[in-house]
Amino acid sequence: MLNSEELLQVSYVEKLKEIVKKKENEMGRKLTCNVVTFGCQMNARDSEKLLGILKAAGFSETESEDADFVIFNTCTVRDNANQRVYGRLGALKPYKKKNPNMKIGLCGCMTQEPSVIEKLKKSYSFVDLIFGTHNIFCFAELLCKMYETDEQIIEIWESTDKIVENLPVDRKYSFKSGINIMFGCNNFCTYCIVPYVRGRERSRETFEIIEEIRNLVADGVSEVMLLGQNVNSYGKNLENKVTFPELLKMVEEIDGLERIRFMTSHPKDLSDDLIEVMKNSKKICTHIHLPLQSGSDRILKAMNRRYTKEDYLKLVDKIRAAIPDISITTDIIVGFPGETREDVLETIDVINKARFDNAFTFVYSKRTGTPAASMPDQVPEEEVKENFNLVLSAVQDMARKRTERFMGRTVKVLCEEKNEQDPSMMDGRMSHNTVVHFKGDESMIGKYFDVKLTEFHGFYYTGEII
Ligand code: 5AD
Ligand code: SF4
């Protein structure tokens, strides 16, 4: 059943179809579109929704940014992501000069920042349509508006309490999919801009999530990734309170579903119940992403993470005691204000004790409006660089050591795509999230194989199908 907003948007898709058809007739060819994604899995999922609407309206997708409609779905978690977007926008200008029918859109986290909007108004007037994270579901409506005017359209909402989901989606992979289970974040880690651009936590109704997954499975999906900024606090604002472990148990019951992943877990909210459910599950993958950010109690406090180094290590011990072979990955920030070499050594100590299978290591990026941006003692660039290299080499040493443990094992691998370098090889993923290369062809995509791991390449394997 569609809700009233969903029905309204479906009617805009119909209207957009008419507009697109008219343009097709004028131009004597189909209209092309290109959706460019920056940032995280949430954005990747949002881009599937954007493409779903565009295709439903009659656009055909192209790989090139020389298209009739190009939209950038942006990320603003670190400043270098913003800079990349400005650069890429500039590069669209010649295409627009050549093709007067070309329209350009910009959406996602970056547009929720007032300073970005000022800059776009002033220096990027060739961008036709700008909208934010809260009104992405109005995409069809906004496109209709865009084709009715030559003015730049800017529609940014401060927040929303609406959850609008049942609209066309064009999945990148036929056999796996992300599913939004909640939106926003209430944690306000002091370095992070996400709570400001994605708003407060809102969980989707459990039955809607289950129904969406059932439909996906019926459509050939066997692996789902439950998505939220902080999945461990799923359900807190629902009338019928359902916890994240309870949701997982319900998802487990869905016939035909083989693998369940989720992202992201905040360590402070990870419950014993979750560990128990993971331990007893046949479908939840043997991998957890558990962002550490820093191993220093002083820095963790300044970051407002609400756990200590000891809490984190105890949690890791508890998880490993229940699921000994689990892979644990993490996020680490280097260069938070006031961070000294001593703090960095504490982080390296956690890397060695927690034995991470992998870690994304980021240089701290100052985000305007966050508490950390106005903290004293911002660390000089040179010092951050040195510390970053120390952390990175500790992460890489540990990742190699940990990943080596799979050598010689026969593991279940989901075949995902053709290898980019060698067309005779396919790439797949273990439950642990480790990548495996093996001989094969495209007919194997989306299927599971038992693969013997025969060659270790540092962070991935080559194997033979048994
Ligand atoms: N600077 C650097 N890294 C950041 N992250 C979030 N905000 C910042 C920032 N201001 C990282 C955190 C988070 C990941 C998604 O991005 O490690 O877990
Ligand atoms: Fe940002 Fe912290 Fe929320 Fe993650 S938990 S999105 S790091 S504020």
Side-chain angles (χ1 to χ4, degrees):
M1 273 285 284
L2 299 188
N3 64 34
S4 60
E5 187 61 50
E6 287 160 355
L7 285 169
L8 180 67
Q9 292 307 320
V10 168
S11 74
Y12 278 114
V13 174
E14 290 306 313
K15 184 170 170 196
L16 187 60
K17 263 189 197 166
E18 297 300 314
I19 297 172
V20 170
K21 201 169 269 158
K22 210 169 134 218
K23 288 231 154 244
E24 265 177 23
N25 288 340
E26 281 166 24
M27 292 162 69
R29 61 171 175 81
K30 266 188 113 47
L31 263 63
T32 54
C33 71
N34 183 238
V35 179
V36 183
T37 313
F38 298 82
C40 66
Q41 308 265 3
M42 295 277 247
N43 263 19
R45 181 66 179 158
D46 282 347
S47 287
E48 294 183 347
K49 296 174 185 172
L50 299 172
L51 192 58
I53 300 276
L54 288 164
K55 283 195 172 171
F59 281 88
S60 66
E61 186 187 9
T62 146
E63 296 285 301
S64 157
E65 287 169 31
D66 185 1
D68 297 309
F69 180 68
V70 176
I71 183 157
F72 287 177
N73 185 11
T74 64
C75 168
T76 187
V77 84
R78 286 168 290 275
D79 186 55
N80 53 9
N82 290 36
Q83 295 317 319
R84 274 217 319 274
V85 167
Y86 289 127
R88 293 275 289 270
L89 271 181
L92 292 182
K93 243 178 150 174
Y95 295 137
K96 195 157 177 172
K97 239 191 198 142
K98 197 181 70 181
N99 174 6
N101 283 301
M102 183 181 184
K103 297 275 186 192
I104 299 172
L106 193 80
C107 67
C109 292
M110 225 175 121
T111 63
Q112 291 294 139
E113 286 181 274
S115 60
V116 169
I117 296 299
E118 284 318 304
K119 187 163 172 160
L120 290 170
K121 272 190 198 159
K122 214 164 108 197
S123 315
Y124 294 83
S125 55
F126 60 96
V127 178
D128 302 279
L129 171 63
I130 299 162
F131 58 96
T133 56
H134 301 297
N135 56 342
I136 184 170
F137 66 85
C138 301
F139 186 43
E141 180 178 355
L142 291 164
L143 283 171
C144 290
K145 265 195 196 167
M146 179 187 81
Y147 279 113
E148 280 162 1
T149 170
D150 285 329
E151 308 270 291
Q152 184 176 53
I153 298 177
I154 302 181
E155 275 198 30
I156 311 291
W157 295 1
E158 282 291 300
S159 65
T160 184
D161 53 6
K162 282 191 185 141
I163 294 183
V164 183
E165 282 285 323
N166 295 305
L167 295 171
V169 175
D170 190 81
R171 285 202 311 278
K172 184 169 174 202
Y173 298 97
S174 61
F175 55 90
K176 67 171 184 178
S177 179
I179 317 270
N180 296 108
I181 65 163
M182 57 187 302
F183 304 90
C185 181
N186 290 352
N187 284 319
F188 290 95
C189 301
T190 55
Y191 51 81
C192 185
I193 201 161
V194 167
Y196 305 89
V197 296
R198 288 269 174 180
R200 293 298 68 71
E201 276 177 21
R202 286 164 295 131
S203 297
R204 267 179 90 190
E205 292 291 346
T206 312
F207 74 90
E208 296 231 352
I209 296 169
I210 300 295
E211 189 180 85
E212 181 174 354
I213 299 177
R214 279 212 185 101
N215 290 338
L216 285 167
V217 170
D219 196 35
V221 165
S222 73
E223 177 180 308
V224 289
M225 164 91 84
L226 309 182
L227 296 172
Q229 305 296 348
N230 183 16
V231 290
N232 292 328
S233 67
Y234 171 78
K236 283 189 180 151
N237 66 336
L238 289 176
E239 219 166 280
N240 294 321
K241 296 241 176 325
V242 174
T243 64
F244 183 55
E246 285 165 352
L247 174 70
L248 282 173
K249 275 204 258 182
M250 288 184 239
V251 176
E252 174 104 15
E253 296 293 306
I254 298 175
D255 281 339
L257 185 64
E258 301 271 346
R259 281 183 172 181
I260 305 168
R261 300 184 187 275
F262 53 85
M263 228 171 153
T264 297
S265 270
H266 195 303
K268 79 173 164 57
D269 297 318
L270 197 149
S271 64
D272 291 352
D273 285 352
L274 176 62
I275 298 175
E276 197 58 26
V277 169
M278 288 181 76
K279 179 182 163 180
N280 297 327
S281 167
K282 296 208 164 39
K283 297 184 179 173
I284 300 174
C285 290
T286 37
H287 168 230
I288 189 161
H289 187 68
L290 197 61
L292 165 71
Q293 313 301 0
S294 166
S296 150
D297 285 345
R298 206 171 58 81
I299 298 297
L300 285 169
K301 194 160 196 321
M303 286 176 162
N304 190 31
R305 290 292 288 177
R306 289 175 276 175
Y307 54 82
T308 62
K309 172 185 178 185
E310 198 191 335
D311 296 335
Y312 188 93
L313 286 172
K314 270 193 183 150
L315 181 60
V316 166
D317 281 348
K318 221 169 14 176
I319 297 171
R320 287 207 199 279
I323 313 158
D325 191 38
I326 195 166
S327 289
I328 303 182
T329 56
T330 201
D331 291 343
I332 293 168
I333 298 176
V334 179
F336 185 85
E339 188 179 58
T340 62
R341 178 61 59 87
E342 221 170 281
D343 297 313
V344 172
L345 295 177
E346 290 282 331
T347 301
I348 292 175
D349 191 41
V350 179
I351 294 168
N352 293 328
K353 288 187 171 139
R355 295 183 295 129
F356 292 123
D357 291 80
N358 213 342
F360 296 105
T361 309
F362 305 109
V363 168
Y364 166 74
S365 170
K366 189 171 170 176
R367 309 311 294 127
T368 310
T370 61
S374 50
M375 285 182 186
D377 304 327
Q378 303 279 331
V379 187
E381 208 172 301
E382 265 312 298
E383 218 177 303
V384 177
K385 221 186 225 166
E386 270 180 32
N387 288 337
F388 182 86
N389 288 336
L390 285 178
V391 171
L392 190 66
S393 87
V395 162
Q396 286 173 342
D397 287 351
M398 184 51 71
R400 175 175 265 278
K401 260 188 230 156
R402 286 284 298 157
T403 312
E404 213 168 7
R405 77 185 185 281
F406 301 126
M407 185 65 187
R409 278 198 213 176
T410 298
V411 295
K412 206 163 244 15
V413 173
L414 170 57
C415 179
E416 298 197 329
E417 56 204 349
K418 206 181 200 146
N419 185 275
E420 272 186 13
Q421 271 85 44
D422 180 350
S424 73
M425 299 292 276
M426 302 302 292
D427 296 351
R429 224 169 258 275
M430 294 162 48
S431 171
H432 294 81
N433 213 32
T434 305
V435 170
V436 181
H437 298 176
F438 49 96
K439 284 242 169 298
D441 58 54
E442 274 167 291
S443 70
M444 293 156 69
I445 292 176
K447 297 186 185 130
Y448 292 82
F449 297 92
D450 290 322
V451 179
K452 186 170 165 81
L453 305 176
T454 51
E455 249 178 86
F456 177 51
H457 303 278
F459 60 97
Y460 70 96
Y461 278 90
T462 307
E464 288 158 14
I465 295 183
I466 297 292

